Amino acid sequence: MKQLLNFAKSAATASALMLLISSCSKDLNRPSPSIKTNDEKTGSSSTTPRAGTLLWSDEFNGTSVNTANWNIDNGNPGVNNEKEYYQSANATVSGGFLTITARKQSVGGQPYTFH
């Protein structure tokens, strides 16, 4: 039962991470925020549009993880009492999506694999 709870925690953490990553994309249908300024001499105010600047992105084109953008860990770092063994085979790219899979699979002395 404890192993099942640990697996559920790992799956929930992975889901939360994917939600965080997907929520970082810019909504192109929403207007950019504006800056409201006041002219002290005339007393008038104006609104200046402000565009956002994309700092980094990865569209997951191709069939594998772009290792120039991502580090893929393998093994178990031995911290946080983790019960999973990280392996690159659990991270796949297809159709513009990164898929990270957790499996009940014994590798490296750990009962689960993940990435």
Side-chain angles (χ1 to χ4, degrees):
M1 185 66 176
K2 187 174 182 179
Q3 289 178 343
L4 181 60
L5 288 175
N6 286 335
F7 179 74
K9 287 179 186 178
S10 295
T13 301
S15 296
L17 178 61
M18 290 308 295
L19 179 63
L20 176 65
I21 290 169
S22 67
S23 69
C24 292
S25 64
K26 182 177 179 181
D27 184 358
L28 299 177
N29 297 319
R30 190 174 60 171
S32 296
S34 300
I35 300 172
K36 191 167 188 174
T37 58
N38 292 319
D39 187 335
E40 292 179 14
K41 292 180 184 176
T42 65
S44 66
S45 66
S46 65
T47 302
T48 306
R50 185 170 138 190
T53 303
L54 179 64
L55 299 178
W56 183 87
S57 71
D58 189 343
E59 300 302 321
F60 300 106
N61 296 326
T63 58
S64 62
V65 176
N66 181 347
T67 55
N69 291 342
W70 300 96
N71 294 325
I72 297 180
D73 294 330
N74 287 294
N76 181 296
V79 296
N80 301 327
N81 198 27
E82 295 178 0
K83 300 298 180 193
E84 65 265 8
Y85 185 91
Y86 297 104
Q87 59 182 11
S88 57
N90 291 46
T92 59
V93 174
S94 177
F97 292 96
L98 170 65
T99 302
I100 301 172
T101 306
R103 295 184 178 105
K104 184 172 173 62
Q105 175 184 31
S106 181
V107 175
Q110 302 298 329
Y112 304 99
T113 61
F114 184 74
H115 198 258

